[in-house]
């Protein structure tokens, strides 16, 4: 499978949080997503939602990390070695990030959000409204996830 897909960023993340703090402060980070001016009309009505999915390109992931196939979740060797696609980490064949963020407001082509774990300047690929349709009650997760978050 050698298909090429070309994506263009629709905007960029703007935050004053230093890169090294992003991972540890994810929940309280406030950031702006600055969209291309020509996409401003595409945002109309988005402010009626409280939360959004943000898909972004993790452009600072070293190329060798995209070649990994197994990792210890969060780099913790006390957790099992699992396939990269079974984790939410940055070591993935395509370094696409996904975050559910709280929408704090909109000003023209700029969305102010909370909870976006992306670096300043990160390209944004898409945003989608989060709604009750996306809620899954009692999802199944592996034991290592419970060890991390329980």
């Amino acid at each position: 499978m050698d298909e090429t897909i070309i994506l263009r960023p629709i905007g960029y993340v703007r935050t004053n949080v230093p890169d090294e703090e992003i991972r540890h402060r994810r929940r309280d980070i406030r950031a702006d997503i600055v969209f291309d001016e020509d996409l401003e009309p595409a945002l109309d009505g988005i402010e009626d939602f409280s939360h959004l999915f943000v898909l972004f390109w993790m452009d600072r992931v070293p190329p060798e990390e995209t070649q990994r196939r197994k990792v210890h979740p969060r780099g913790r060797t006390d957790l099992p070695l699992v396939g990269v696609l079974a984790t939410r980490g940055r070591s993935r064949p395509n370094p696409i990030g996904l975050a559910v963020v709280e929408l704090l407001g909109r000003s023209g082509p700029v969305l102010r959000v909370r909870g976006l774990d992306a670096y300043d300047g990160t390209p944004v690929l898409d945003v989608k409204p989060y709604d009750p349709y996306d809620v899954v009650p009692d999802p199944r997760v592996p034991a290592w996830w419970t060890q991390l978050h329980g």
Side-chain angles (χ1 to χ4, degrees), residues 54-75:
V54 178
L55 293 134
F56 53 96
W57 189 261
M58 295 183 285
D59 61 327
R60 297 185 200 160
V61 173
E64 62 273 11
E65 281 196 45
T66 65
Q67 301 305 309
R68 289 188 185 156
R69 298 299 177 249
K70 292 200 172 227
V71 294
H72 292 281
R74 304 281 178 165

Side-chain angles (χ1 to χ4, degrees), residues 11-39:
Y12 293 88
V13 175
R14 295 290 173 239
T15 182
N16 59 5
V17 176
D19 291 0
E20 59 276 3
E21 291 182 31
I22 295 288
R23 184 175 178 189
H24 304 292
R25 289 184 45 201
R26 181 175 75 88
R27 298 262 184 233
D28 68 337
I29 292 172
R30 290 175 187 244
D32 290 335
I33 302 172
V34 182
F35 291 85
D36 293 343
E37 293 285 332
D38 67 313
L39 290 175

Side-chain angles (χ1 to χ4, degrees), residues 30-142:
R30 290 175 187 244
D32 290 335
I33 302 172
V34 182
F35 291 85
D36 293 343
E37 293 285 332
D38 67 313
L39 290 175
E40 183 175 347
L43 294 169
D44 288 350
I46 203 162
E47 57 276 356
D48 294 332
F49 290 90
S50 66
H51 291 77
L52 306 170
F53 289 107
V54 178
L55 293 134
F56 53 96
W57 189 261
M58 295 183 285
D59 61 327
R60 297 185 200 160
V61 173
E64 62 273 11
E65 281 196 45
T66 65
Q67 301 305 309
R68 289 188 185 156
R69 298 299 177 249
K70 292 200 172 227
V71 294
H72 292 281
R74 304 281 178 165
R76 289 183 37 181
T77 56
D78 62 318
L79 298 176
L81 194 62
V82 298
V84 295
L85 298 178
T87 72
R88 296 282 304 261
R90 68 184 205 163
S91 296
R92 359 194 23 84
N94 287 313
I96 297 172
L98 168 68
V100 175
V101 301
E102 180 182 3
L103 177 58
L104 301 174
R106 174 186 171 200
S107 178
V110 179
L111 299 181
R112 169 62 55 102
V113 299
R114 179 180 17 235
L116 181 55
D117 58 341
Y119 301 138
D120 184 59
T122 296
V124 173
L125 302 174
D126 202 1
V127 296
K128 297 179 184 295
Y130 178 93
D131 61 43
Y133 181 81
D134 297 306
V135 175
V136 177
D138 302 317
R140 183 181 66 242
V141 296

